[in-house]
Amino acid sequence: MSNRQTQINNLITLLRESGFRITPQRRAVMQILVDNKEHLDTDEIFNRVRKEYPKVGLATVYKTIAMLKGIGEITELKFNNQNRRYESSGSAPHSHLVCTKCNGIFDFNNDALGNITSDIMEETGFNISNYRLDFFGVCHDCQSGKNN
Amino acid sequence: MSNRQTQINNLITLLRESGFRITPQRRAVMQILVDNKEHLDTDEIFNRVRKEYPKVGLATVYKTIAMLKGIGEITELKFNNQNRRYESSGSAPHSHLVCTKCNGIFDFNNDALGNITSDIMEETGFNISNYRLDFFGVCHDCQSGKNN
DNA sequence: TTTTCTGCAAATGCTTTGCATGGGA
DNA sequence: TCCCATGCAAAGCATTTGCAGAAAA
């Protein structure tokens, strides 16, 4: 079974266990979030679900996103002047490279913060459970003028 | 002259040079942002300005914030389900410790990301100009139940 | 005097809510 | 069958905009 299928099945099991019902709309939203690593925003998710279910309501998409966020299966990202974006929480710890010209968002896998985190916990008494690290700058394509 | 006064005067000079006029409302907003290291949100800024100028309009506060953001003098912060907060950009590079119980935000000075940043630039071709690092967890007081 | 800024109110845009109908289990 | 979920429309809320009068320069 493909990894993609496994992820969806795990999600469905989790939803059932949490007392949520499995509907085609919810399946579609989950499928889209698992398949796409592009940090989609609500509108993009809505439009993709609508291709499959033209009658779906925007509110349903919002409610599904809220549910997935509530059980911790997706993470919400908000960058300046952009709509909220979502990524599935399952992926490895990573930071984001945000291009201030084209608004592109690129993942960068790194584990360099492990030591820093424990240092800060010791120093401050703060009990850190996760972090978010975003770098802002200009991506390679925008530097070379490809996106103009 | 106090550092506080110096900061304000520098800001005023910068505003004049940029072709902006100096009004009492703008002075008040700048004063509040310079004096407070607490990451105030728009409503808190508005209420504090109103103590001094009861007739000030919310739109004026928004416009002043937009202007200061535009010239890079303040940085906008947005955390989950909270309104936008602002801090003056002049302060040293630091990360934020965000308490998920009391919503408190604490600054933590660190420069540990310098090397990581240049590594990423080399590796990805991304030209990084700044970053944002937030840690989420439970602060000391909330762990010990002080805030319950 | 000229031009920008202010303050009010209206508009905007994303998100949430209420509720009657539909559909999982 | 029993509830929960859906989809529509209305409401909510932070933020932005338009504009006439006020105030910097």
Side-chain angles (χ1 to χ4, degrees), chain B residues 16 21-22 42 59 62-63 83-84:
Chain B
R16 278 197 218 283
R21 292 180 179 175
I22 311 303
T42 313
Y62 271 103
K63 284 168 187 168
N83 289 349
R84 302 176 187 176

Side-chain angles (χ1 to χ4, degrees), chain A residues 135-148:
Chain A
F135 293 93
F136 301 94
V138 182
C139 72
H140 189 263
D141 281 2
C142 282
Q143 286 174 57
S144 62
K146 272 192 194 165
N147 289 339
N148 295 341

Side-chain angles (χ1 to χ4, degrees), chain B residues 2-142:
Chain B
S2 73
N3 180 49
R4 173 175 175 270
Q5 266 308 315
T6 309
Q7 280 188 67
I8 291 290
N9 288 339
N10 289 344
L11 261 174
I12 288 177
T13 304
L14 180 63
L15 251 61
R16 278 197 218 283
E17 283 170 353
S18 308
F20 293 107
R21 292 180 179 175
I22 311 303
T23 65
Q25 295 89 334
R26 285 179 175 172
R27 267 180 202 274
V29 171
M30 291 188 285
Q31 193 68 257
I32 286 160
L33 285 166
V34 165
D35 286 354
N36 290 282
K37 307 298 177 195
E38 322 157 31
H39 315 94
L40 303 175
D41 66 23
T42 313
D43 211 55
E44 288 163 335
I45 295 168
F46 176 55
N47 283 320
R48 294 187 191 205
V49 179
R50 211 160 38 166
K51 281 181 191 164
E52 215 172 329
Y53 299 95
K55 291 205 175 286
V56 75
L58 182 53
T60 299
V61 173
Y62 271 103
K63 284 168 187 168
T64 301
I65 288 169
M67 178 203 64
L68 292 170
K69 201 170 63 170
I71 60 176
E73 284 304 307
I74 59 175
T75 302
E76 185 178 282
L77 303 175
K78 174 88 175 81
F79 300 103
N80 276 351
N81 304 325
Q82 293 190 228
N83 289 349
R84 302 176 187 176
R85 292 165 178 267
Y86 299 90
E87 61 182 16
S88 74
S89 309
S91 43
H94 60 272
S95 49
H96 301 109
L97 302 174
V98 184
C99 179
T100 52
K101 283 192 82 171
C102 69
N103 284 331
I105 295 163
F106 310 90
D107 286 352
F108 183 83
N109 290 309
N110 72 329
D111 53 359
L113 284 184
N115 299 327
I116 297 177
T117 302
S118 41
D119 285 354
I120 295 179
M121 287 203 272
E122 257 184 58
E123 199 170 322
T124 63
F126 215 90
N127 185 17
I128 296 171
S129 51
N130 64 316
Y131 67 83
R132 176 171 165 191
L133 174 56
D134 301 329
F135 294 93
F136 301 94
V138 182
C139 73
H140 190 262
D141 282 2
C142 282

Side-chain angles (χ1 to χ4, degrees), chain A residues 16 21-22 42 59 62-63 83-84:
Chain A
R16 279 196 216 283
R21 291 180 179 172
I22 312 303
T42 314
Y62 271 103
K63 284 168 187 167
N83 289 348
R84 301 176 187 176

